[in-house]
């Protein structure tokens, strides 16, 4: 949560930072601000609202300067207001800070500073940090980087910070623990950001700051040290990220672009890993550890949000094909439950952003209990990718829309490959079934393409139901997690209350809600529970509910009972979630768009949840 961007160099720092904030707006968008260090002053502009509100507010002001820091906020401490927006200034106004994370012991530090006469303008933990640093600098008569270092030895919590000093416009100081921070290295210039998207148009050379590292940046060079004051060597990596991947490319919203990208993103997840004709399936990243899953007594899957739904689909893969028990855990519950991790357990952590605080903490806990951790992550070089012992990237490319779409299908794709490899090695599926699954998986990108060709159907149905106040999503077996995902997509972006349920469980509660006003979405593709779900549809129709059914191409029965149907191509029952989720993503997208909602930046949500 919160995006931070900073620049130091010969360019117009304001424009670099403003553009960067627009790219990072998916991380938070309740207030934004920029501070420019020039001519012995800090020009500070901040505003409640999104980055465009800030831009209009700033128009016409003097924005010159070669060092700037900027922030787009997702509130944790203090409501979204102009005062609580970052950057925050120190007591005498000579230092400015941007911060992503949470300082847990801020109230005791704040009290100490208040006793010394400090006055605070905001309710944030971040303002406390910059007052604290200034206080240390004044008392110890030390350089700013030393004051930052001392402060960080006392601060408890998570942070990615960047500090500017009005008396030294050729200086930026950055540090991280727990929250992400990337430094782009140019010629005589540095770019800092929460992820690489604001940086790639200028340079592809980056340094990922490690926890407890402090970077002292001047146009002439960078010094890295840790909080024990030991210098470290910056590890400069080259990243492979194209500018087009982070732009809308003619689509109205990132979410729509990302939905339509799925044939390609799934193909990218398969590329170099699957060759069905040759019977080849290999994931280089996990090759040396795959026997750990083969011999696992149990698999524990850790994730949050949509990634948790991908984990639920994987539960069916591993139990069905590999005959190993699986528990799919919300990372936030697992970490606080004193969970049992036994020798012989394998943990799979799933995360799009690779930065979700609860998932990261759950991984650390499982590691401390001796678990071996596999990562299924999208963001290359992210904290979770680095915290896991071994992993397979999903290669979906940057996902900017806050509602996750292509990451879900790529996660399911990668998890299906892991399960197929394990099942084959364990001998828990026949050779014939294994080869059938490989061949079927290879056809998924074209089947997703076909499902997307019917986007108009979803749009038509969206028009009928855009005023609904409640929705129910029902599915069985492999389509049950799809029902949960469909409901989550709708409530996230359209603010319509939606619940996902196993279709059979409907009788134990949700059936009481059904009347002629209630749209019920059935994911009712032809599979082993087809007859049962047909009965569930009849039960809803008997109570006058409006049924929207996702059915397999050529189905003649359900179209006679349901009010509306959307067809998807035939595929193997286990791989159906990759196809059946497509019309649900489209339905929620179109409903949200028709309702005039901010599809890419839904209220109160953030793409990367770096607070617990
Ligand atoms: C947030 C996002 C969701 C995402 C979840 C888990 O809530 O809005 O789209 O599914 O975090 O994030 P992760 O990056 O770990 O997959």
């Amino acid at each position: 949560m919160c995006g931070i961007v900073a620049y130091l160099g010969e360019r117009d720092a304001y424009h670099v930072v403003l553009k960067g904030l627009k790219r990072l707006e998916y991380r938070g968008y309740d207030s934004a601000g920029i501070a420019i260090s020039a001519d012995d002053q800090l020009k500070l502009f901040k505003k409640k609202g999104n980055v465009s509100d800030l831009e209009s507010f700033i128009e016409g002001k003097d924005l010159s300067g070669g060092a700037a820091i900027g922030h787009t906020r997702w509130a944790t401490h203090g409501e979204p207001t102009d005062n609580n927006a970052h950057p925050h200034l120190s007591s005498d106004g000579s230092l400015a800070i941007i911060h992503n994370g949470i300082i847990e012991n801020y109230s005791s530090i704040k009290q100490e500073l208040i006793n010394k006469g400090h006055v605070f303008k905001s309710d944030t933990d971040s303002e406390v940090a910059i007052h604290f640093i200034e206080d240390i600098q004044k008392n110890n008569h030390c350089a700013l980087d030393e004051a930052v270092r001392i402060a960080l030895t006392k601060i408890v919590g998570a942070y990615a910070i960047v500090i500017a000093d009005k008396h030294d416009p050729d200086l930026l100081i950055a540090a991280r623990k727990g929250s992400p921070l990337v430094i782009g290295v140019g010629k005589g210039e540095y770019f800092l950001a929460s992820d690489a998207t604001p940086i790639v148009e200028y340079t592809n050379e980056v340094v990922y700051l490690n926890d407890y590292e402090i970077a002292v940046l001047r146009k002439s060079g960078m010094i890295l040290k840790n909080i024990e004051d030991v210098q470290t060597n910056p590890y400069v990596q080259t990243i492979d990220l194209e500018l087009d991947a982070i732009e809308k490319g003619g689509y109205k919203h990132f979410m729509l672009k990302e939905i339509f990208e799925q044939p390609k993103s799934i193909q990218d997840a398969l590329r170099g890993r699957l060759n069905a004709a040759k019977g080849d399936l290999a994931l280089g990243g996990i090759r040396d550890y795959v026997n750990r899953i083969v011999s696992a007594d149990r698999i524990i899957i850790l994730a949050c949000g949509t990634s948790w739904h991908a984990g639920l689909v994987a539960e069916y893969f591993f139990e069905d094909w590999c005959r190993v028990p699986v528990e799919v855990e919300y990372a936030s519950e697992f970490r606080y439950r004193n969970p049992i991790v036994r020798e012989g357990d394998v943990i799979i952590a799933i995360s799009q952003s690779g930065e979700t605080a609860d998932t990261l903490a759950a991984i650390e806990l499982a590691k401390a209990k001796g678990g071996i951790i596999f990562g299924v992550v999208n963001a290359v070089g992210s904290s979770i990718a680095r915290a896991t012992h071994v992993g397979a990237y999903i290669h979906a490319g940057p996902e900017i829309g806050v509602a996750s779409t292509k990451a879900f299908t790529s996660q399911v794709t990668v998890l299906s490959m892991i399960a197929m490899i394990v099942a084959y090695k364990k001998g828990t599926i026949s050779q014939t079934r294994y080869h059938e699954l490989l061949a079927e998986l290879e056809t998924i990108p074209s089947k997703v393409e076909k499902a997307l060709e019917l986007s108009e159907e979803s749009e038509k149905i969206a028009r009928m139901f855009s005023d609904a106040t409640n929705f129910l999503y029902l599915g069985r077996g492999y389509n049950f997690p799809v029902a949960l995902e469909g409901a989550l997509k709708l409530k996230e972006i359209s603010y319509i209350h939606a619940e996902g349920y196993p279709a059979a469980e409907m009788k134990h509660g949700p059936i009481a809600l059904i009347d002629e006003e209630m749209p019920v979405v059935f994911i009712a593709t032809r599979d082993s529970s087809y007859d049962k779900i047909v009965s569930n549809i009849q039960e809803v129709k008997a109570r006058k509910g409006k049924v929207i059914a996702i059915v397999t191409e050529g189905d003649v029965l359900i179209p006679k009972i349901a009010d509306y149907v959307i067809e998807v191509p035939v595929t193997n029952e286990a791989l159906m979630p990759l196809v059946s989720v497509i019309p649900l993503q489209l339905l929620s997208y179109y409903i949200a768009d028709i309702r005039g909602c901010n599809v890419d930046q839904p209220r109160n949500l953030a793409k990367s949840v770096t607070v617990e």
Side-chain angles (χ1 to χ4, degrees):
M1 347 282 287
C2 300
I4 64 177
V5 190
Y7 175 76
L8 175 68
E10 297 300 332
R11 297 173 200 255
D12 178 358
Y14 163 74
H15 280 107
V16 175
V17 169
L18 186 84
K19 202 167 184 193
L21 287 179
K22 287 184 178 164
R23 297 224 190 272
L24 286 187
E25 221 175 353
Y26 71 88
R27 300 178 63 88
Y29 31 84
D30 61 40
S31 48
I34 291 187
I36 304 157
S37 164
D39 313 325
D40 220 25
Q41 54 169 321
L42 281 169
K43 301 169 198 168
L44 177 68
F45 310 98
K46 45 193 209 166
K47 205 76 206 127
K48 178 178 172 187
N50 58 25
V51 178
S52 323
D53 296 324
L54 174 73
E55 193 177 9
S56 330
F57 167 68
I58 285 181
E59 219 176 275
K61 311 242 166 54
D62 170 19
L63 302 167
S64 55
I69 61 177
H71 188 274
T72 177
R73 180 167 185 251
W74 186 91
T76 56
H77 288 73
E79 275 177 58
T81 58
D82 293 354
N83 275 351
N84 285 337
H86 295 219
H88 292 286
L89 297 183
S90 62
S91 196
D92 69 4
S94 61
L95 304 175
I97 192 170
I98 46 174
H99 168 219
N100 170 28
I102 290 187
I103 296 170
E104 288 164 15
N105 59 340
Y106 86 104
S107 65
S108 58
I109 301 174
K110 186 172 186 179
Q111 194 50 54
E112 237 174 75
L113 293 168
I114 290 173
N115 297 345
K116 288 182 172 180
H118 283 250
V119 177
F120 291 92
K121 295 194 174 115
S122 77
D123 310 316
T124 65
D125 50 344
S126 319
E127 190 188 11
V128 174
I130 196 66
H131 278 235
F132 187 40
I133 290 166
E134 179 196 75
D135 190 65
I136 294 172
Q137 192 186 13
K138 288 199 168 146
N139 287 330
N140 293 22
H141 305 289
C142 61
L144 180 58
D145 56 311
E146 177 59 3
V148 171
R149 190 189 69 76
I150 297 170
L152 294 181
T153 59
K154 310 223 153 84
I155 280 173
V156 178
Y159 51 80
I161 53 170
V162 185
I163 295 167
D165 180 349
K166 78 171 184 184
H167 301 306
D168 195 349
D170 179 34
L171 172 70
L172 289 178
I173 296 180
R176 92 158 255 193
K177 194 222 141 196
S179 304
L181 192 56
V182 189
I183 302 175
V185 183
K187 289 203 172 63
E189 58 181 352
Y190 292 100
F191 307 82
L192 297 99
S194 301
D195 70 31
T197 53
I199 297 175
V200 283
E201 67 182 282
Y202 308 105
T203 174
N204 58 359
E205 308 265 278
V206 301
V207 173
Y208 289 97
L209 218 56
N210 290 313
D211 277 351
Y212 299 110
E213 266 180 349
I214 300 168
V216 182
L217 303 162
R218 292 188 176 280
K219 277 179 247 166
S220 55
M222 157 174 22
I223 295 173
L224 276 196
K225 57 181 176 175
N226 62 23
I227 62 168
E228 258 97 56
D229 210 14
V230 178
Q231 277 206 17
T232 48
N233 283 332
Y235 171 48
V236 182
Q237 304 184 39
T238 305
I239 46 164
D240 176 21
L241 182 60
E242 299 292 327
L243 200 53
D244 319 353
I246 53 173
E247 303 204 317
K248 277 191 209 153
Y251 284 93
K252 186 171 177 191
H253 295 101
F254 281 112
M255 182 182 176
L256 192 61
K257 175 187 173 222
E258 287 157 6
I259 291 174
F260 275 89
E261 261 171 19
Q262 288 174 106
K264 179 177 176 297
S265 52
I266 296 173
Q267 191 63 60
D268 289 344
L270 300 175
R271 181 160 299 116
R273 294 166 164 176
L274 170 66
N275 183 333
K278 291 191 175 157
D280 287 347
L281 178 61
L283 289 165
I286 63 162
R287 187 179 288 127
D288 297 340
Y289 284 78
V290 89
N291 282 337
R292 299 294 289 263
I293 319 188
V294 170
S295 59
D297 298 325
R298 180 172 66 149
I299 294 175
I300 301 173
I301 296 181
L302 300 174
C304 303
T306 290
S307 299
W308 186 81
H309 294 157
L312 282 184
V313 180
E315 176 181 21
Y316 289 72
F317 293 148
F318 284 109
E319 294 200 341
D320 186 5
W321 301 336
C322 312
R323 308 307 300 144
V324 55
V326 180
E327 282 165 31
V328 189
E329 301 269 4
Y330 285 116
S332 54
E333 286 299 313
F334 178 85
R335 63 181 287 202
Y336 287 117
R337 213 189 48 223
N338 192 14
I340 297 163
V341 178
R342 289 181 297 241
E343 212 184 303
D345 286 345
V346 158
I347 286 92
I348 302 180
I350 309 170
S351 176
Q352 187 287 124
S353 64
E355 300 296 344
T356 303
D358 281 319
T359 309
L360 195 54
I363 289 169
E364 295 303 345
L365 177 69
K367 245 199 221 168
K369 288 178 180 282
I372 170 99
I373 325 285
F374 283 66
V376 174
V377 172
N378 191 28
V380 177
S382 57
S383 304
I384 292 176
R386 288 185 288 160
T388 45
H389 292 111
V390 54
Y393 282 117
I394 63 168
H395 298 308
E399 191 182 62
I400 314 273
V402 166
S404 184
T405 50
K406 64 174 180 170
F408 173 78
T409 45
S410 295
Q411 287 165 342
V412 172
T413 302
V414 168
L415 289 159
S416 78
M417 287 192 281
I418 299 175
M420 286 176 201
I421 292 171
V422 172
Y424 184 71
K425 286 204 158 219
K426 274 184 98 168
T428 42
I429 52 172
S430 66
Q431 291 261 354
T432 321
R433 186 152 182 230
Y434 175 72
H435 288 288
E436 270 168 19
L437 284 171
L438 297 197
E440 194 54 35
L441 185 57
E442 216 163 51
T443 68
I444 293 295
S446 64
K447 291 186 173 166
V448 168
E449 182 94 62
K450 245 180 136 191
L452 287 165
E453 281 164 16
L454 295 178
S455 67
E456 276 176 17
E457 298 301 309
S458 300
E459 194 173 357
K460 248 188 259 160
I461 297 172
R463 289 193 191 287
M464 314 269 182
F465 291 99
S466 61
D467 289 331
T469 46
N470 291 292
F471 258 80
L472 197 56
Y473 285 72
L474 301 173
R476 302 178 80 116
Y478 277 99
N479 278 327
F480 161 56
V482 179
L484 296 183
E485 178 58 9
L488 176 63
K489 285 293 84 86
L490 186 70
K491 65 188 145 200
E492 278 183 308
I493 58 170
S494 71
Y495 319 136
I496 295 175
H497 169 246
E499 280 190 62
Y501 248 81
E505 273 294 305
M506 170 185 73
K507 290 192 276 305
H508 302 289
I511 199 164
L513 301 171
I514 293 170
D515 60 17
E516 56 279 5
E517 300 293 313
M518 180 75 156
V520 184
V521 180
F522 276 95
I523 303 99
T525 50
R526 251 199 193 283
D527 58 23
S528 50
S529 46
Y530 179 78
D531 294 339
K532 308 261 178 237
I533 209 153
V534 169
S535 309
N536 298 137
I537 295 176
Q538 303 276 21
E539 286 156 10
V540 170
K541 280 316 301 168
R543 284 151 189 92
K544 302 199 166 33
K546 293 275 175 299
V547 171
I548 302 159
I550 311 303
V551 299
T552 318
E553 237 169 25
D555 189 321
V556 286
L557 177 58
I558 296 180
K560 288 190 191 134
I561 331 168
D563 298 276
Y564 305 93
V565 291
I566 306 176
E567 288 192 338
V568 292
V570 184
T571 184
N572 181 285
E573 171 168 4
L575 300 178
M576 186 49 97
L578 292 165
V579 181
S580 58
V581 76
I582 304 294
L584 304 187
Q585 295 171 342
L586 288 165
L587 185 67
S588 56
Y589 169 77
Y590 288 120
I591 290 180
D593 190 37
I594 292 163
R595 286 163 73 93
C597 297
N598 186 345
V599 172
D600 284 332
Q601 293 164 353
R603 70 180 179 215
N604 303 340
L605 295 178
K607 184 80 188 150
S608 173
V609 181
T610 53
V611 296
E612 60 172 283

